[in-house]
């Protein structure tokens, strides 16, 4: 029999063709054409959806795929700046253990408490990548008290949580290679108990009352001996008159992080201590460690990185080391 129409192709072949379409293309080309194609999209076993604000008719695309209740979804990424309870509820109905048991990658700007519960209760056993960029109103502390581990998870972004949950998350996800943690609070790294050798990339953001010379920084770096990328965004502790000794910090890095190849630090300076940083020159500090390469500072902020950021950021004082 000669096949002359697309919908006459075998279901297995059509499902494989779907994989090569972007989400926007899939919606524009096949959505609501007929029941068979809708059913094939719903049952596709290797479908990846990426819905962005650049998609035409974002709402129509989002509603179509969430209401379709896909059964074989492998990855689901939503990128949109506006937080909306309407979208949160839709995602909860869509990303469900009974509907998405094959889920391997989830990236959403916000999520419901139920989705967080399912993630940290191990309801998505194949989940390898999980980036939730705003979870400040969702709490995971009770979820971390159980003994369920997530051995498949390799990348995790979680924001707005209690700083005391940092090591609990590491223990629950023993094979993480990338961890992006933001807490907008103060917590001590002295409580870290053992090294996490799988972690290669660490991003810590919005930590307050941070101290470099009370053992906190050394405790932090000594727990990640295989770290290659280190992003740090901290605010100095206003209750302590701490001046950062960059020569000592450089020695800590050399001893504890021998594999480090990328560094990007943002330090908010405390008011009464800002003038004490005028004693050093960027050229001097750049000699302490190979990754102390580019510097920028204002009266309130100090930026040190292993790459040239001068085309991206503009500071009152800037310096780039000549290799």
């Amino acid at each position: 029999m000669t096949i002359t129409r697309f919908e006459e192709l075998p279901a297995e072949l059509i499902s494989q063709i779907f994989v090569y379409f972007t989400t926007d293309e899939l919606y524009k080309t096949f959505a609501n054409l007929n029941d068979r194609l809708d059913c094939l999209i719903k049952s596709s076993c290797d479908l990846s959806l990426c819905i962005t604000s650049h998609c035409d008719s974002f709402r129509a695309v989002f509603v179509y795929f969430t209401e379709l209740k896909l059964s074989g979804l492998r990855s689901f990424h939503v990128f949109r700046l506006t937080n909306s309870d309407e979208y949160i509820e839709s995602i909860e109905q869509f990303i469900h253990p009974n509907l998405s048991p094959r889920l391997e990658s989830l990236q959403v700007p916000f999520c419901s408490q139920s989705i967080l519960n399912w993630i940290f209760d191990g309801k998505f056993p194949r989940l390898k990548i999980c980036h939730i960029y705003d979870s400040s109103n969702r709490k995971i502390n009770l979820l971390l008290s159980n003994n369920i581990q997530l051995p498949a998870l390799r990348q995790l972004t979680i924001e707005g949580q209690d700083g005391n949950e940092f090591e609990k998350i590491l223990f629950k996800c023993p094979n993480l290679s990338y961890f992006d943690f933001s807490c907008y609070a103060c917590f001590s790294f002295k409580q870290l108990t053992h090294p996490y050798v799988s972690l290669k990339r660490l991003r810590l953001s919005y930590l307050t009352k941070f101290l470099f010379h009370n053992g906190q920084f050394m405790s932090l770096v000594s727990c990640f001996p295989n770290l290659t990328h280190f992003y740090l965004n901290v605010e100095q502790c206003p209750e302590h008159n701490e001046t950062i000794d960059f020569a000592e910090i450089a020695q800590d890095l050399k001893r504890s992080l021998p594999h480090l190849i990328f560094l990007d630090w943002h330090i908010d300076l405390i008011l009464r201590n800002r003038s004490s940083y005028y004693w050093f020159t960027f050229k001097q500090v750049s000699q302490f460690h190979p990754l102390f390469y580019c510097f920028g500072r204002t009266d309130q902020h100090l930026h040190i990185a292993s790459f040239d950021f001068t085309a991206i950021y503009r500071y009152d004082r800037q310096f780039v080391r000549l290799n």
Side-chain angles (χ1 to χ4, degrees):
M1 181 181 69
T2 302
I3 296 177
T4 59
R5 295 173 21 175
F6 177 83
E7 53 263 41
E8 294 174 351
L9 291 171
E12 295 80 4
L13 182 56
I14 293 178
S15 294
Q16 289 300 314
I17 292 174
F18 285 159
V19 175
Y20 294 94
F21 284 84
T22 67
T23 304
D24 206 24
E25 292 169 342
L26 195 62
Y27 174 76
K28 290 178 180 178
T29 309
F30 300 107
N32 299 314
L33 283 182
N34 57 56
D35 291 341
R36 179 171 184 255
L37 287 177
D38 280 345
C39 185
L40 287 175
I41 294 175
K42 177 178 179 178
S43 60
S44 294
C45 295
D46 198 32
L47 204 59
S48 297
L49 298 183
C50 180
I51 305 176
T52 75
S53 55
H54 299 294
C55 288
D56 294 339
S57 304
F58 174 89
R59 176 178 170 77
V61 175
F62 187 91
V63 170
Y64 171 76
F65 285 109
T66 52
E67 290 184 348
L68 202 57
K69 300 188 185 308
L70 304 175
S71 60
L73 190 64
R74 183 172 58 85
S75 69
F76 182 57
H77 301 171
V78 177
F79 300 98
R80 187 174 173 85
L81 297 179
T82 303
N83 196 337
S84 168
D85 291 338
E86 176 187 357
Y87 291 125
I88 291 177
E89 293 175 2
S90 299
I91 292 176
E92 181 177 330
Q93 297 173 5
F94 178 47
I95 300 298
H96 190 285
N98 294 334
L99 295 175
S100 310
R102 299 168 56 89
L103 190 68
E104 295 181 3
S105 179
L106 176 65
Q107 296 188 48
V108 289
F110 39 79
C111 77
S112 68
Q113 184 67 55
S114 295
I115 291 180
L116 271 181
N117 293 351
W118 294 329
I119 291 171
F120 286 95
D121 275 339
K123 301 300 184 181
F124 301 108
R126 299 190 182 190
L127 191 63
K128 298 177 181 178
I129 300 171
C130 179
H131 299 298
I132 301 173
Y133 297 103
D134 184 3
S135 57
S136 56
N137 295 322
R138 324 293 173 186
K139 298 303 177 184
I140 63 173
N141 54 327
L142 296 179
L143 305 174
L144 299 175
S145 61
N146 61 43
N147 294 323
I148 298 174
Q149 289 194 311
L150 310 176
L153 198 60
R154 297 295 189 273
Q155 297 183 26
L156 176 63
T157 296
I158 191 83
E159 295 188 358
Q161 297 301 315
D162 186 338
N164 294 323
E165 311 304 337
F166 180 74
E167 187 173 23
K168 295 179 182 178
I169 294 175
L170 288 171
F171 176 77
K172 197 172 187 68
C173 310
N175 298 317
L176 278 183
S177 61
Y178 174 96
F179 188 22
D180 185 346
F181 183 83
S182 303
C183 72
Y184 305 94
C186 169
F187 69 99
S188 175
F189 293 100
K190 292 182 179 180
Q191 61 188 354
L192 298 179
T193 56
H194 65 276
Y196 298 90
V197 296
S198 65
L199 198 68
K200 301 294 182 64
R201 300 180 178 226
L202 177 63
R203 291 180 61 91
L204 294 172
S205 302
Y206 309 114
L207 307 185
T208 62
K209 299 183 179 181
F210 191 84
L211 292 169
F212 283 87
H213 297 298
N214 70 335
Q216 184 177 176
F217 180 78
M218 189 60 194
S219 296
L220 170 63
V221 296
S222 63
C223 285
F224 306 106
N226 294 320
L227 208 64
T228 60
H229 292 65
F230 189 12
Y231 175 92
L232 186 66
N233 187 326
V234 298
E235 176 188 279
Q236 279 193 291
C237 182
E239 286 84 24
H240 292 74
N241 190 30
E242 181 185 72
T243 299
I244 303 174
D245 184 341
F246 288 100
E248 180 181 327
I249 294 300
Q251 289 303 313
D252 291 341
L253 288 177
K254 291 176 181 178
R255 285 194 301 266
S256 301
L257 304 179
H259 307 293
L260 196 66
I261 59 174
F262 176 90
L263 181 145
D264 190 8
W265 290 356
H266 297 258
I267 305 170
D268 289 333
L269 307 174
I270 58 176
L271 181 62
R272 67 173 178 270
N273 218 25
R274 290 169 189 165
S275 60
S276 64
Y277 288 97
Y278 286 104
W279 67 267
F280 68 81
T281 67
F282 290 147
K283 184 176 182 180
Q284 288 175 315
V285 177
S286 70
Q287 305 304 312
F288 296 152
H289 194 283
L291 297 183
F292 290 175
Y293 176 73
C294 188
F295 299 79
R297 70 154 292 170
T298 64
D299 187 48
Q300 302 177 352
H301 186 77
L302 178 64
H303 188 181
I304 304 176
S306 58
F307 59 94
D308 186 351
F309 55 70
T310 55
I312 306 172
Y313 300 98
R314 304 299 298 178
Y315 291 102
D316 298 337
R317 296 178 60 200
Q318 296 184 154
F319 173 79
V320 181
R321 187 182 68 222
L322 298 177
N323 289 330

